[in-house]
Amino acid sequence: TLYVQQKGNVGIGTTGPGAKLEIAASSATSNQAGIFLHDTAADANSRTWAIINAKGDAPYGTLGFHVGTAADGAPSATPKMVIDLNGNVGIGTTGPSYKLHVNGSTADNTIARFENTNATNGYGVIVQTAANDATRYSFKAIGNGSRDDFVVRSNGQVEIPTGNVGIGTTSPGTKFDVI
C-alpha cells in the first residue's frame, strides 16, 4: 500500500508516515521492510543491492546491507555488512562483538586499510596477518611511498625491521635511543 499525506510524507506499508519516506513491514514475513536497488543493465556487472532489517543469517533487529552475487540476481541471504541493536558494525560477520568487527579472507592477508589519500599528507595504516605464520600480525604505517612495519607476535615479541626506536625522543639517532 502506498499512502501520500497532504503534507508530503510518503508511506509504504503504513497510512501514518512519520517522515518524508517511511517503509513498514513485519520482519516475520518474507515481505520485509527494505530498500532494493536493482541494476537492469543485463550485463555481467549488474547487481541487486538491498538494505533490509534482519534477513537471512542476521539476528532480529539488525540492519543488513546485502548485494547480489550474480548478474541480475537477487540480493544475498547473508548481509555483507550489518549494524546491530547495540550500534556495532560488522563487515563479513552478522554478529559483530565490537563497535567495528571485520572478518574475512583476502589473498594478500590484509584485514584493514585506513588511508588519507591527500597528495601532500597521504598517510595511513595497514593491518595484516602473515600468510604462512599465524602468530604474526603486522601494522604497516604508509606515507609518501614508504612502508614501515611494526610486527606483533602472539607470544609478545615485537619486531621493528627498519628504522630507529626512540623513548623520550622524536628523533632517535641509533637503533634504540632512550633519553
Side-chain angles (χ1 to χ4, degrees):
T1 305
L2 176 67
Y3 181 80
V4 181
Q5 290 180 327
Q6 276 189 317
K7 60 183 177 181
N9 289 354
V10 176
I12 300 172
T14 180
T15 57
K20 289 294 179 189
L21 174 62
E22 182 176 335
I23 303 170
S26 171
S27 60
T29 69
S30 60
N31 296 321
Q32 296 168 308
I35 298 171
F36 284 70
L37 306 169
H38 186 95
D39 180 352
T40 60
D43 64 28
N45 297 314
S46 64
R47 296 288 184 265
T48 300
W49 292 77
I51 302 170
I52 306 171
N53 178 28
K55 178 181 179 183
D57 298 335
Y60 180 76
T62 299
L63 181 63
F65 296 82
H66 303 255
V67 61
T69 56
D72 205 28
S76 61
T78 302
K80 302 297 183 191
M81 184 176 88
V82 299
I83 302 172
D84 75 6
L85 291 170
N86 300 311
N88 294 341
V89 175
I91 300 172
T93 178
T94 58
S97 302
Y98 312 98
K99 289 299 174 193
L100 177 60
H101 188 157
V102 180
N103 188 22
S105 175
T106 63
D108 70 350
N109 302 305
T110 298
I111 299 167
R113 183 178 180 120
F114 304 94
E115 187 172 7
N116 173 359
T117 58
N118 180 296
T120 56
N121 297 316
Y123 295 96
V125 175
I126 299 173
V127 181
Q128 289 181 312
T129 59
N132 56 1
D133 186 352
T135 66
R136 184 173 188 235
Y137 306 94
S138 170
F139 302 88
K140 296 182 181 211
I142 54 174
N144 295 334
S146 68
R147 295 175 98 148
D148 297 314
D149 290 357
F150 177 82
V151 177
V152 179
R153 294 188 179 275
S154 60
N155 64 3
Q157 290 178 333
V158 175
E159 291 177 28
I160 302 173
T162 60
N164 297 337
V165 175
I167 298 176
T169 179
T170 57
S171 55
T174 61
K175 290 287 183 191
F176 187 63
D177 197 351
V178 179
I179 295 186

